[in-house]
Amino acid sequence: MRHALPSGLCSLALLLPTGIVLASAGSEAIDRYCSGCHQTQSGPQSWSRISAQRKTPEGWDMTIARMQTMHGLELPLEARRDIVKFLADTRGLAPEESAPQRELIERRLNRIESFDHPSYQEMCARCHTGGRAQLQRRPQEEWERLVHFHVGQFQTIEYQAMARDRDWFDLALNEIAPWLAETQSLENEAWKSWQQAEQTSPEGDWQLWGHWPGEGDFYADVTISAAEGEDAYSLSLDGAFTSGRPLSGEGQAIVYTGYEWRANLNLNGRDLKQVLDLSGAHPSGRIFDDHDDAFGMMVEMVPHEAAESAVLASLPASLKAGERSRLVLLGHGLGEGEISLGEGVTVREVVERSDMRLVLDVEASTDLTPGWLTMQIGEISAEKLLAGYRTVDRLEVSPALGVARIGNDKTPPVSGVFTAAGYLDGADEAIPLGQVPVRWSVSPWDEIAERDEDARFAGILDAATGIFSPAGAGPNPLRQYNANSVGNLRVTASVVGQEAMQDEAQLIVTVQRWNNPPLR
């Protein structure tokens, strides 16, 4: 979604001669604080090096941080914010360009990267994620300058692992830089199209839902209103978990590049960050703890008003035969008509009903036929949102390989957060059941971990939630050689009542991360 200028400014812009661009707080701050090194070029609001790059808001903020740390730039916080806003708006990434690396922007840890170039992983992604460079756009000259910067700033780069066995500089300059220039060029149709896209505002009423680790599925009504500042908003949330426990909060947000939503939230007394992509009809993204990136939740959001009636989400995604539970259906046009959840499912009570939400007390019969349940709400039907099951055919723990970090008050620990999704093996497709009830356990991954008693020292896994809390940092006098409380662990999930149905993952518990930028 883009944001429209006030009508007066639109009229003024139409009257300005071609090539004249209105000054902004951000461009004025660049002229004041940055132009000593980045000279003004021909054309409006153009500076050497700066104007030959495009980045995400986090990318531009990291660039400014590097200028302050390495080049002694003295910059007031307000000016830094203005510069990031201006550069992200005028030299950002289109939704199509940022989409492949949304996991990195949303601070989703424990992901496995893959790239089309045969040596890009060894050349670039051994020191930081490969996605960090994928979230930039430059002409070839600028990519070449980036190679020279790495050699100048990190003199040992050609002697480090995976660089000693090759002509690193030649490959980087003559193979990687041209490839990046071709695949991530400064000018392309995606960016041009986004610059011309219709502009809308996120102000209004929305419905949001997701899964809070350790708490369960939740939903909330969200009201977004304009706040003081360019593309600034305030929001309030009022909702509940499917258990009935209330959920409420508020926050402040700013939108960059017309769709990159960044918010500070306080939900049920916990401070969290929020990253959303507003470019589609159904915005989505992640809410997470800025001090513990692993703790977070994927969320979706839809406006209260919609052209078509539909069921959009079911919380939970499945019902077990013989059990009574609370079911929440989200969508549009749900306020009227008879409710049918498929053969074998009885609605015991309608707890709450509105145009956008149904909260039901339901019971699944013991002879429920496993598979998709066809729901009918008045004239609205939904066939593949809710499933019924008797037993789980397959269990999948995520992430398959997790990394947690010990910590202290200076460098907070990073948790291990695991989920277990169940599946039915259908005749034509696997039917997802969502998160099913499991019990979690931890054990040594191998003989070395067993010998060193890693399961004893590395931390504690909550058997009910799958959340691993690492031990404290520093030498442990109870361990051999006073070693840190790190470890190599096996995390196992067992379906409740069906204990033979299991899946497992590996968890590496390692030391603190001292350099913790938003894009790693």
Side-chain angles (χ1 to χ4, degrees):
M1 297 183 181
R2 305 295 307 283
H3 300 279
L5 289 168
S7 58
L9 287 181
C10 290
S11 300
L12 177 60
L14 293 174
L15 295 174
L16 290 173
T18 302
I20 299 297
V21 179
L22 291 172
S24 70
S27 64
E28 291 176 349
I30 293 175
D31 284 333
R32 180 176 180 181
Y33 297 102
C34 308
S35 60
C37 297
H38 299 277
Q39 293 79 15
T40 301
Q41 297 178 319
S42 60
Q45 298 178 350
S46 180
W47 304 269
S48 62
R49 302 298 307 278
I50 295 174
S51 298
Q53 302 177 31
R54 291 192 287 113
K55 303 178 184 179
T56 62
E58 290 82 5
W60 282 119
D61 192 54
M62 289 168 62
T63 295
I64 295 174
R66 180 164 53 83
M67 295 297 131
Q68 293 175 307
T69 301
M70 297 183 178
H71 301 289
L73 172 64
E74 295 182 359
L75 188 68
L77 181 58
E78 184 177 353
R80 177 171 173 171
R81 291 170 177 166
D82 290 339
I83 292 172
V84 171
K85 177 73 172 100
F86 171 77
L87 292 176
D89 287 349
T90 60
R91 294 164 179 82
L93 299 186
E96 181 180 334
E97 295 176 297
S98 65
Q101 297 296 332
R102 294 309 299 184
E103 292 184 1
L104 180 57
I105 298 173
E106 294 162 354
R107 307 268 279 276
R108 284 192 264 169
L109 307 181
N110 307 317
R111 62 195 185 96
I112 306 299
E113 292 186 313
S114 63
F115 304 98
D116 292 335
H117 195 282
S119 58
Y120 179 71
Q121 187 81 30
E122 292 84 0
M123 294 295 296
C124 302
R126 58 190 174 85
C127 296
H128 54 71
T129 59
R132 181 161 151 179
Q134 299 288 312
L135 288 172
Q136 299 185 24
R137 297 296 183 271
R138 305 168 181 247
Q140 182 164 333
E141 182 183 40
E142 277 298 320
W143 286 117
E144 291 172 354
R145 284 175 172 169
L146 187 63
V147 172
H148 287 282
F149 161 79
H150 277 72
V151 175
Q153 191 67 51
F154 310 106
Q155 293 89 348
T156 63
I157 192 169
E158 295 185 85
Y159 305 100
Q160 295 173 4
M162 291 191 254
R164 295 188 298 270
D165 62 342
R166 66 198 73 197
D167 188 345
W168 187 93
F169 183 75
D170 181 71
L171 285 172
L173 198 61
N174 298 312
E175 183 177 319
I176 300 298
W179 175 70
L180 289 171
E182 179 182 359
T183 58
Q184 295 165 237
S185 59
L186 181 66
E187 301 295 336
N188 58 42
E189 288 303 318
W191 179 241
K192 292 178 182 178
S193 297
W194 180 247
Q195 291 292 86
Q196 301 300 320
E198 182 181 357
Q199 302 180 10
T200 58
S201 169
E203 290 182 69
D205 295 322
W206 300 78
Q207 184 161 232
L208 174 143
W209 67 89
H211 181 89
W212 186 306
E215 298 282 353
D217 296 331
F218 67 91
Y219 55 91
D221 292 316
V222 180
T223 298
I224 300 175
S225 55
E228 183 178 353
E230 183 183 4
D231 291 336
Y233 300 91
S234 60
L235 64 154
S236 61
L237 299 91
D238 183 25
F241 294 92
T242 52
S243 63
R245 181 189 174 204
L247 173 67
S248 62
E250 58 185 14
Q252 299 292 323
I254 187 169
V255 175
Y256 301 91
T257 331
Y259 73 100
E260 291 284 14
W261 170 279
R262 303 293 186 268
N264 293 314
L265 304 179
N266 184 279
L267 300 181
N268 280 13
R270 182 164 186 170
D271 290 329
L272 300 164
K273 302 286 187 181
Q274 184 184 39
V275 172
L276 293 177
D277 175 357
L278 300 181
S279 62
H282 295 174
S284 62
R286 188 169 185 254
I287 298 173
F288 57 91
D289 188 325
D290 192 37
H291 298 291
D292 186 356
D293 293 352
F295 186 93
M297 58 213 82
M298 300 304 300
V299 296
E300 296 183 62
M301 193 165 73
V302 296
H304 273 202
E305 296 182 2
E308 297 182 359
S309 298
V311 181
L312 300 175
S314 173
L315 308 175
S318 62
L319 302 175
K320 185 176 182 180
E323 292 190 355
R324 189 166 177 172
S325 56
R326 176 168 291 198
L327 177 69
V328 178
L329 302 178
L330 307 172
H332 296 103
L334 308 182
E336 298 180 351
E338 294 186 9
I339 302 170
S340 174
L341 302 179
E343 186 176 353
V345 181
T346 302
V347 177
R348 295 295 185 186
E349 180 186 358
V350 178
V351 180
E352 178 187 341
R353 186 168 195 177
S354 66
D355 183 71
M356 294 196 64
R357 184 162 58 240
L358 271 174
V359 181
L360 308 172
D361 181 4
V362 303
E363 184 174 6
S365 65
T366 55
D367 59 353
L368 177 73
T369 300
W372 289 115
L373 298 170
T374 300
M375 296 186 288
Q376 192 76 31
I377 314 296
E379 300 297 321
I380 306 170
S381 62
E383 296 184 350
K384 291 190 175 183
L385 281 178
L386 179 65
Y389 72 101
R390 297 180 186 175
T391 58
V392 175
D393 293 336
R394 179 166 57 89
L395 190 67
E396 185 175 303
V397 170
S398 179
L401 173 61
V403 176
R405 295 181 182 274
I406 58 177
N408 52 33
D409 57 340
K410 302 297 183 182
T411 55
V414 176
S415 303
V417 180
F418 292 89
T419 60
Y423 293 86
L424 290 180
D425 293 330
D428 301 319
E429 61 177 343
I431 299 176
L433 302 176
Q435 297 193 44
V436 295
V438 298
R439 295 292 292 176
W440 297 92
S441 61
V442 66
S443 59
W445 178 258
D446 55 21
E447 293 181 357
I448 296 175
E450 184 173 7
R451 179 201 66 193
D452 293 342
E453 298 184 275
D454 288 357
R456 174 188 173 192
F457 293 115
I460 298 174
L461 179 68
D462 190 307
T465 66
I467 298 176
F468 181 86
S469 299
N476 186 341
L478 298 179
R479 303 201 80 172
Q480 189 177 21
Y481 310 121
N482 285 341
N484 274 300
S485 294
V486 297
N488 187 8
L489 304 176
R490 186 183 310 274
V491 175
T492 302
S494 305
V495 176
V496 174
Q498 194 183 343
E499 281 69 22
M501 178 57 61
Q502 298 182 343
D503 191 34
E504 61 186 32
Q506 185 177 8
L507 173 62
I508 304 295
V509 185
T510 187
V511 297
Q512 306 100 303
R513 184 185 179 104
W514 300 102
N515 183 16
N516 201 29
L519 301 177
R520 298 173 184 170

